[in-house]
PDB file of all heavy atoms in Angstrom:
ATOM      1  N   MET A   1      22.212  -5.225  -6.840  1.00  0.00           N
ATOM      2  CA  MET A   1      21.730  -5.886  -5.645  1.00  0.00           C
ATOM      3  C   MET A   1      20.207  -5.762  -5.571  1.00  0.00           C
ATOM      4  O   MET A   1      19.644  -4.757  -5.966  1.00  0.00           O
ATOM      5  CB  MET A   1      22.340  -5.263  -4.393  1.00  0.00           C
ATOM      6  CG  MET A   1      23.761  -5.685  -4.130  1.00  0.00           C
ATOM      7  SD  MET A   1      24.307  -5.355  -2.447  1.00  0.00           S
ATOM      8  CE  MET A   1      24.760  -3.651  -2.580  1.00  0.00           C
ATOM      9  N   ALA A   2      19.609  -6.783  -5.020  1.00  0.00           N
ATOM     10  CA  ALA A   2      18.157  -6.825  -4.864  1.00  0.00           C
ATOM     11  C   ALA A   2      17.777  -6.438  -3.434  1.00  0.00           C
ATOM     12  O   ALA A   2      18.568  -6.547  -2.507  1.00  0.00           O
ATOM     13  CB  ALA A   2      17.643  -8.217  -5.189  1.00  0.00           C
ATOM     14  N   PHE A   3      16.538  -5.999  -3.269  1.00  0.00           N
ATOM     15  CA  PHE A   3      16.001  -5.603  -1.968  1.00  0.00           C
ATOM     16  C   PHE A   3      15.280  -6.786  -1.347  1.00  0.00           C
ATOM     17  O   PHE A   3      14.492  -7.457  -2.002  1.00  0.00           O
ATOM     18  CB  PHE A   3      15.036  -4.423  -2.148  1.00  0.00           C
ATOM     19  CG  PHE A   3      14.391  -3.983  -0.871  1.00  0.00           C
ATOM     20  CD1 PHE A   3      15.084  -3.219   0.049  1.00  0.00           C
ATOM     21  CD2 PHE A   3      13.088  -4.333  -0.582  1.00  0.00           C
ATOM     22  CE1 PHE A   3      14.477  -2.809   1.226  1.00  0.00           C
ATOM     23  CE2 PHE A   3      12.478  -3.934   0.587  1.00  0.00           C
ATOM     24  CZ  PHE A   3      13.182  -3.168   1.495  1.00  0.00           C
ATOM     25  N   TYR A   4      15.550  -7.063  -0.069  1.00  0.00           N
ATOM     26  CA  TYR A   4      14.933  -8.180   0.633  1.00  0.00           C
ATOM     27  C   TYR A   4      14.405  -7.731   1.987  1.00  0.00           C
ATOM     28  O   TYR A   4      14.865  -6.739   2.556  1.00  0.00           O
ATOM     29  CB  TYR A   4      15.951  -9.303   0.876  1.00  0.00           C
ATOM     30  CG  TYR A   4      16.497  -9.924  -0.370  1.00  0.00           C
ATOM     31  CD1 TYR A   4      17.735  -9.537  -0.874  1.00  0.00           C
ATOM     32  CD2 TYR A   4      15.788 -10.898  -1.049  1.00  0.00           C
ATOM     33  CE1 TYR A   4      18.241 -10.101  -2.020  1.00  0.00           C
ATOM     34  CE2 TYR A   4      16.292 -11.482  -2.204  1.00  0.00           C
ATOM     35  CZ  TYR A   4      17.520 -11.078  -2.682  1.00  0.00           C
ATOM     36  OH  TYR A   4      18.028 -11.643  -3.818  1.00  0.00           O
ATOM     37  N   GLU A   5      13.457  -8.511   2.495  1.00  0.00           N
ATOM     38  CA  GLU A   5      12.954  -8.343   3.856  1.00  0.00           C
ATOM     39  C   GLU A   5      12.950  -9.711   4.521  1.00  0.00           C
ATOM     40  O   GLU A   5      12.647 -10.715   3.883  1.00  0.00           O
ATOM     41  CB  GLU A   5      11.539  -7.772   3.854  1.00  0.00           C
ATOM     42  CG  GLU A   5      11.448  -6.371   3.327  1.00  0.00           C
ATOM     43  CD  GLU A   5      10.055  -5.782   3.452  1.00  0.00           C
ATOM     44  OE1 GLU A   5       9.228  -6.350   4.190  1.00  0.00           O
ATOM     45  OE2 GLU A   5       9.805  -4.758   2.810  1.00  0.00           O
ATOM     46  N   ASN A   6      13.297  -9.753   5.793  1.00  0.00           N
ATOM     47  CA  ASN A   6      13.331 -11.007   6.529  1.00  0.00           C
ATOM     48  C   ASN A   6      12.876 -10.733   7.960  1.00  0.00           C
ATOM     49  O   ASN A   6      13.336  -9.787   8.586  1.00  0.00           O
ATOM     50  CB  ASN A   6      14.750 -11.583   6.519  1.00  0.00           C
ATOM     51  CG  ASN A   6      14.815 -12.960   7.114  1.00  0.00           C
ATOM     52  OD1 ASN A   6      13.838 -13.695   7.102  1.00  0.00           O
ATOM     53  ND2 ASN A   6      15.963 -13.330   7.636  1.00  0.00           N
ATOM     54  N   PHE A  63      14.134  -7.295   9.324  1.00  0.00           N
ATOM     55  CA  PHE A  63      15.283  -6.729   8.629  1.00  0.00           C
ATOM     56  C   PHE A  63      14.886  -6.327   7.217  1.00  0.00           C
ATOM     57  O   PHE A  63      14.231  -7.092   6.518  1.00  0.00           O
ATOM     58  CB  PHE A  63      16.412  -7.765   8.511  1.00  0.00           C
ATOM     59  CG  PHE A  63      17.058  -8.128   9.813  1.00  0.00           C
ATOM     60  CD1 PHE A  63      16.543  -9.131  10.604  1.00  0.00           C
ATOM     61  CD2 PHE A  63      18.189  -7.465  10.235  1.00  0.00           C
ATOM     62  CE1 PHE A  63      17.143  -9.481  11.791  1.00  0.00           C
ATOM     63  CE2 PHE A  63      18.795  -7.804  11.426  1.00  0.00           C
ATOM     64  CZ  PHE A  63      18.276  -8.806  12.209  1.00  0.00           C
ATOM     65  N   LYS A  64      15.300  -5.145   6.794  1.00  0.00           N
ATOM     66  CA  LYS A  64      15.184  -4.710   5.405  1.00  0.00           C
ATOM     67  C   LYS A  64      16.610  -4.486   4.918  1.00  0.00           C
ATOM     68  O   LYS A  64      17.363  -3.734   5.542  1.00  0.00           O
ATOM     69  CB  LYS A  64      14.372  -3.424   5.288  1.00  0.00           C
ATOM     70  CG  LYS A  64      12.926  -3.598   5.682  1.00  0.00           C
ATOM     71  CD  LYS A  64      12.152  -2.311   5.535  1.00  0.00           C
ATOM     72  CE  LYS A  64      10.712  -2.536   5.995  1.00  0.00           C
ATOM     73  NZ  LYS A  64       9.885  -1.347   5.823  1.00  0.00           N
ATOM     74  N   PHE A  65      16.982  -5.157   3.819  1.00  0.00           N
ATOM     75  CA  PHE A  65      18.367  -5.070   3.372  1.00  0.00           C
ATOM     76  C   PHE A  65      18.485  -5.298   1.873  1.00  0.00           C
ATOM     77  O   PHE A  65      17.562  -5.780   1.229  1.00  0.00           O
ATOM     78  CB  PHE A  65      19.237  -6.079   4.126  1.00  0.00           C
ATOM     79  CG  PHE A  65      18.851  -7.514   3.928  1.00  0.00           C
ATOM     80  CD1 PHE A  65      19.489  -8.300   2.981  1.00  0.00           C
ATOM     81  CD2 PHE A  65      17.857  -8.094   4.695  1.00  0.00           C
ATOM     82  CE1 PHE A  65      19.140  -9.622   2.806  1.00  0.00           C
ATOM     83  CE2 PHE A  65      17.500  -9.416   4.528  1.00  0.00           C
ATOM     84  CZ  PHE A  65      18.150 -10.181   3.575  1.00  0.00           C
ATOM     85  N   GLU A  66      19.632  -4.916   1.352  1.00  0.00           N
ATOM     86  CA  GLU A  66      19.986  -5.200  -0.030  1.00  0.00           C
ATOM     87  C   GLU A  66      21.064  -6.259  -0.004  1.00  0.00           C
ATOM     88  O   GLU A  66      21.921  -6.262   0.881  1.00  0.00           O
ATOM     89  CB  GLU A  66      20.516  -3.947  -0.729  1.00  0.00           C
ATOM     90  CG  GLU A  66      19.482  -2.885  -0.959  1.00  0.00           C
ATOM     91  CD  GLU A  66      20.053  -1.668  -1.648  1.00  0.00           C
ATOM     92  OE1 GLU A  66      21.289  -1.516  -1.723  1.00  0.00           O
ATOM     93  OE2 GLU A  66      19.254  -0.855  -2.129  1.00  0.00           O
ATOM     94  N   GLY A  67      21.030  -7.146  -0.988  1.00  0.00           N
ATOM     95  CA  GLY A  67      22.030  -8.189  -1.011  1.00  0.00           C
ATOM     96  C   GLY A  67      22.025  -8.973  -2.304  1.00  0.00           C
ATOM     97  O   GLY A  67      21.263  -8.680  -3.229  1.00  0.00           O
ATOM     98  N   VAL A  68      22.872  -9.962  -2.325  1.00  0.00           N
ATOM     99  CA  VAL A  68      22.986 -10.873  -3.462  1.00  0.00           C
ATOM    100  C   VAL A  68      22.564 -12.258  -3.008  1.00  0.00           C
ATOM    101  O   VAL A  68      22.227 -12.475  -1.845  1.00  0.00           O
ATOM    102  CB  VAL A  68      24.435 -10.865  -4.018  1.00  0.00           C
ATOM    103  CG1 VAL A  68      24.780  -9.519  -4.610  1.00  0.00           C
ATOM    104  CG2 VAL A  68      25.436 -11.215  -2.938  1.00  0.00           C
ATOM    105  N   LYS A  69      22.603 -13.208  -3.917  1.00  0.00           N
ATOM    106  CA  LYS A  69      22.168 -14.569  -3.604  1.00  0.00           C
ATOM    107  C   LYS A  69      22.974 -15.166  -2.441  1.00  0.00           C
ATOM    108  O   LYS A  69      22.431 -15.879  -1.604  1.00  0.00           O
ATOM    109  CB  LYS A  69      22.292 -15.449  -4.844  1.00  0.00           C
ATOM    110  CG  LYS A  69      21.705 -16.807  -4.676  1.00  0.00           C
ATOM    111  CD  LYS A  69      21.719 -17.588  -5.962  1.00  0.00           C
ATOM    112  CE  LYS A  69      21.059 -18.938  -5.754  1.00  0.00           C
ATOM    113  NZ  LYS A  69      21.003 -19.711  -6.987  1.00  0.00           N
ATOM    114  N   ILE A  72      21.494 -14.194   0.974  1.00  0.00           N
ATOM    115  CA  ILE A  72      20.302 -14.970   1.339  1.00  0.00           C
ATOM    116  C   ILE A  72      20.691 -16.376   1.793  1.00  0.00           C
ATOM    117  O   ILE A  72      20.168 -16.884   2.787  1.00  0.00           O
ATOM    118  CB  ILE A  72      19.333 -15.047   0.148  1.00  0.00           C
ATOM    119  CG1 ILE A  72      18.864 -13.647  -0.239  1.00  0.00           C
ATOM    120  CG2 ILE A  72      18.140 -15.936   0.452  1.00  0.00           C
ATOM    121  CD1 ILE A  72      18.126 -12.929   0.849  1.00  0.00           C
TER     122      ILE A  72
END
Side-chain angles (χ1 to χ4, degrees):
M1 283 197 277
F3 178 77
Y4 297 99
E5 294 185 15
N6 187 26
F63 292 87
K64 294 181 182 183
F65 61 96
E66 291 180 346
V68 294
K69 188 174 182 178
I72 298 299

